[in-house]
Amino acid sequence: IGAAVILIGGVVGVLLLLPAPQQPQTPVVADVPDPVEEVLVVEEQKPVPEQQPVVESVPLLAADNDKDGLSNTEEGMYASNPDVFDTDGDGYSDQREVLNLYNPAGLAPVRLVESGTVKTYTNSEMKYTLLYPVLWKVQSGETSGNIVSFMAGDGATVRITVQDNPQQLSATTWYQLQIPSKQIDSLVPLTHTTVEGIWESDYRLAFVTHSARSGQRGSIVSIRYSNGQETGDVYVSTMRMMVQSFEWMK
């Protein structure tokens, strides 16, 4: 009996030394937010007015109250408001309309030539036409021929010279030969016109080419703007308008 007691005591001691059984743990699951339905927001589209080609603007040194690119003097020539960026409220600046040959003061799309502020000049000998302000004069004695000057009241001038181009040189190549001291990387191609050519980056000089036709020689035209008595590029937008309107006669 004593041995049995000793044996039972030893078993109990061993059981006491064993670690207590671990209780099973319930796994912790992180809260997951409910899926959020994605809502696509579509902005209301405003009606788009009649499209016009974009013609890049350049900083203007002359007085320009509304900062639309037309000088105050030019606003007077085209009957637009010098204090309103978009005189007719059609979504286009006054300068952009003039450069695209539209009337900036027209309540509906009206071509500039129909506004009464410009006239069409035709050179029958050199076979070209362009628009110019009605307030400007074609210099006396140069109403035909290869050299024609258009002059504002303050003496500012746009001078057009037509020269033979028998080798059919491009405007860029011609420019390099005529003005070798200047770099060509700043030249700007003529866009949104019926003719091919280039601008200097300040829009004070342009060259327009004309391919030879049967029985004729090729031509190239230089169109140069010079300031008058007023300081600043008062008529640069008008110079650009004239070049944009330049067309060779068929």
Side-chain angles (χ1 to χ4, degrees), residues 30-181:
D31 291 336
V32 178
D34 294 333
V36 178
E37 183 180 354
E38 182 178 357
V39 178
L40 180 62
V41 178
V42 180
E43 294 183 357
E44 181 182 355
Q45 297 295 318
K46 296 181 180 179
V48 179
E50 180 185 351
Q51 292 297 314
Q52 296 179 9
V54 176
V55 182
E56 296 300 324
S57 184
V58 293
L60 190 63
L61 299 179
D64 177 16
N65 289 357
D66 54 14
K67 308 303 179 187
D68 62 358
L70 287 184
S71 69
N72 292 348
T73 302
E74 288 177 311
E75 300 261 17
M77 288 198 315
Y78 300 116
S80 52
N81 191 330
D83 297 314
V84 178
F85 185 84
D86 175 15
T87 295
D88 57 12
D90 63 356
Y92 297 108
S93 71
D94 292 344
Q95 186 208 44
R96 184 172 173 183
E97 295 213 61
V98 169
L99 296 186
N100 286 283
L101 311 183
Y102 282 92
N103 177 13
L107 297 179
V110 179
R111 301 296 293 185
L112 191 59
V113 72
E114 299 169 1
S115 69
T117 61
V118 299
K119 293 194 295 187
T120 301
Y121 169 79
T122 301
N123 189 313
S124 301
E125 183 178 346
M126 296 293 108
K127 306 295 183 184
Y128 69 83
T129 66
L130 55 73
L131 301 179
Y132 72 100
V134 294
L135 298 178
W136 289 24
K137 294 181 179 179
V138 180
Q139 271 197 339
S140 177
E142 293 184 337
T143 55
S144 63
N146 69 315
I147 300 177
V148 180
S149 294
F150 301 86
M151 185 174 292
D154 66 353
T157 303
V158 173
R159 185 178 181 88
I160 300 178
T161 304
V162 182
Q163 295 176 269
D164 287 338
N165 182 17
Q167 295 179 299
Q168 303 290 296
L169 299 177
S170 69
T172 301
T173 301
W174 184 278
Y175 183 90
Q176 287 179 297
L177 294 174
Q178 297 294 316
I179 315 177
S181 61

